[in-house]
Each structure stands twice: as structure tokens, then as C-alpha cells.
Amino acid sequence: AELIGSLTRKLEILKEAKEGLLADIKMNNALGEKMELLIKELCRPNEFGKYKMFIDDLEMVVKLLLSLSGRLARVENVLSIMGKNTNSEERVCICTFVAYLCCNSPKILLL
């Protein structure tokens, strides 16, 4: 009963957080649309095209960073669960992957 109560409270907290995030997303989208209209009014068509390309590129970079961050968090979580008793070859392989992600994240952004 105690576990169910705790899980129910945590679920409610997550639902509230989700609603807050959805409201933030809606507000950010509205602000982005207003900003785009303002820029479209103030800029020449070729400048607006450059702005749109920049925003699209920026969105791709952010998505890539979020993806890499998620992968890194999952790998680090696996490492923490594995502990010291795990096969050293497996651990070295995973550590190498973590190092690869950490070292190559800035390089990927330059592509």
C-alpha cells in the first residue's frame, strides 16, 4: 500500500511536470511564430531565407545534442549498474564508447 501511494504521488508529479512542459512548448512555439513574422516583415526575402536556414540548422544541432546526451546518460547508467565485477573487456568497450561520444560531440557539430 505504501509503495502504491508513493508511485501514485510520483505519477501525479510527473503529470504536472508534463503539463507544464506542454504549456512551455506551446508558448515557445507562439513566440517563435511571432518572431518569424516580425523578421519576415523587416528583412528582404533572401535575408529571411538565410534566417530560416539558420533556424533549421540550429534545430538539428539541438536535436543532435539531446540525442548524444541521452545516449551518454544511458551508457553511464549501464556502467554504474555493471559495477566492478563485470567482465573487464565489456567495461573497456563501454568506456571506449563513452570516450568516443565525449570527444566527438564537438567535432560532430562542425559537420
Side-chain angles (χ1 to χ4, degrees):
E2 189 176 316
L3 177 61
I4 292 174
S6 174
L7 290 174
T8 302
R9 283 189 297 279
K10 288 181 181 180
L11 185 59
E12 287 301 317
I13 291 169
L14 288 173
K15 284 181 182 178
E16 290 173 12
K18 180 181 178 182
E19 289 172 8
L21 286 173
L22 290 175
D24 287 348
I25 289 170
K26 189 175 182 178
M27 185 176 67
N28 284 335
N29 286 339
L31 288 172
E33 289 171 7
K34 284 182 183 179
M35 180 65 78
E36 188 173 312
L37 287 174
L38 180 63
I39 291 171
K40 193 172 192 176
E41 290 175 9
L42 296 174
C43 295
R44 294 182 296 219
N46 66 330
E47 292 172 336
F48 182 72
K50 289 178 185 178
Y51 163 79
K52 287 294 286 178
M53 281 187 356
F54 172 76
I55 295 299
D56 291 343
D57 289 347
L58 186 60
E59 283 181 6
M60 285 192 308
V61 168
V62 169
K63 287 178 184 179
L64 179 61
L65 285 173
L66 288 172
S67 174
L68 289 173
S69 175
R71 287 180 186 184
L72 184 58
R74 285 192 299 274
V75 169
E76 288 177 344
N77 189 33
V78 167
L79 279 174
S80 68
I81 291 171
M82 287 173 59
K84 303 285 183 193
N85 300 329
T86 306
N87 179 349
S88 65
E89 188 175 307
E90 253 182 271
R91 192 166 183 77
V92 167
C93 180
I94 292 174
C95 287
T96 303
F97 183 66
V98 169
Y100 172 78
L101 284 178
C102 290
C103 293
N104 286 313
S105 296
K107 292 176 189 169
I108 291 171
L109 295 178
L110 296 175
L111 297 179

